[in-house]
Amino acid sequence: MNPLFSPALHQQRHQFVINFVKMKKPKMVADLGCNDCKLLKQLKFHREIELLVGVDINGDVIKKKMRGLAPLSANYLQPTCDQLCVELYQGSVTQRDARLRGFHLVTCIELIEHLTLTDLDHFTAVVFGYMTPLSVIISTPNSEYNALLPGLSGFRHRDHKFEWNRAEFRSWALKVCLKYSYKVEFTGVGEAPLGMQDSVGFCSQIGVFYRLEGCTGCNVLPFSDEEDVSPYTLLYSVKYPSLRDNNTLRRVLVSEVLYWAEQLKNRWMEEKSSDRNYNSTFSLTEERAEGFNPTHAAIEGWLAEGMDGPVGCCGTGDVDKCEEMLWRNSLKLESGTGSGYISIPLAVLWSCCPKVSELGGSLRNLRHLLMDEPHVNMSQDGAAVLVKYQEQDEEDDDAYLEDGEYSEASWCSHGVEPEEDWETV
């Protein structure tokens, strides 16, 4: 039999929440009665959310599905400045827990009908009087629609304690608003057949509650900073890698520096090998372009003045041309024990590699972040990165790959029981 709703009704409810998140951009979101975490798994991709929490009384269901909220490989290989923490708790929505206070959005999707009327009163006091979120989305079955569901007698689910019509839901919601200083908007998902929308309404009715500004409400439950009510059991917690974390930032920055330093070295070597006038015993002075001999201090000075590139350093406003001259004439071959090294000034990396400059923040900060990195070989004055001129032995390569935590990243540069048929169609 073809499904009664397309998309399925539970998908429409989740999409309603997702659309709300896109529009309001809440940073802290809690889903009460999260069940198998399907909604949370969709919300984790929305970058505006920094704290995503799920609560359900059935801990076994959470444990079966919680790994689906773990970061993907791409989150580790290509972290962004966004930060996300996911926490899953086993607990009852009729109990207070201090960790759930002050959220921007709390969602309760097809939850309240599973509570007794006494528990519903406790739930109302906890959510609106104790947690006091900025907004609350509550969906519940509309009993007026039941007549349109073939073969249904009684409630839509055996665990439902009640199913309200539109007037009953509206009456309850308005009392909540009056008592706890909220306002509410009514809507729903699962439209009725053509011509019947006014008479029966939506299959799932939804109330979107907004806390009134400047109103704490006379019925808000008292709370002090000394009080630490935490009856919920934490089942799962994970922090997604973020460039706001200094260790992650350093790891990605080092990866980018090593990658682009190698690219610049290879490019430089290719040009030298094809240059007819190339002499294997060249020196830095011999490699300078006529009239263009910038020092590292001079380059840093230009960048400190807020220039996007070395404009003016070669007497022209052509940024691309200046950068080309900069990288070509600043690289040099350093002699040393064993293999030689190509010296690549940090200013070259900064100017020619936007990702490096973006991550470094400033040329001075870039040098500071790289100086103590064991995977980056720096010149004595910290002004340049040294890259081996000759190919390393296979043993050295293997050792580096085993030892270097940056090797992998461098390649990446470039509750409620399940509803029955009528709840899931």
Side-chain angles (χ1 to χ4, degrees), residues 102-116:
F103 275 59
H104 300 122
L105 171 64
V106 168
T107 62
C108 311
I109 307 303
E110 307 296 283
L111 168 68
I112 62 173
E113 64 273 9
H114 293 267
L115 305 175
T116 65

Side-chain angles (χ1 to χ4, degrees), residues 28-37 40 51-63 66 69 85-93 95-101 103 131 228-239 415-416:
M28 300 169 62
V29 179
D31 183 29
L32 305 185
C34 63
N35 201 347
D36 57 6
C37 305
L40 297 175
L51 177 59
L52 187 60
V53 171
V55 178
D56 201 281
I57 199 168
N58 191 336
D60 291 336
V61 175
I62 292 180
K63 290 176 182 177
M66 62 187 186
L69 289 165
C85 177
V86 178
E87 297 175 351
L88 299 177
Y89 295 93
Q90 179 181 3
S92 170
V93 295
Q95 292 181 297
R96 298 181 300 169
D97 192 295
R99 292 167 291 187
L100 273 292
R101 284 178 57 89
F103 275 59
M131 293 172 59
D228 183 18
V229 183
S230 304
Y232 294 172
T233 302
L234 179 64
L235 299 180
Y236 182 73
S237 178
V238 63
K239 286 186 177 181
V416 183

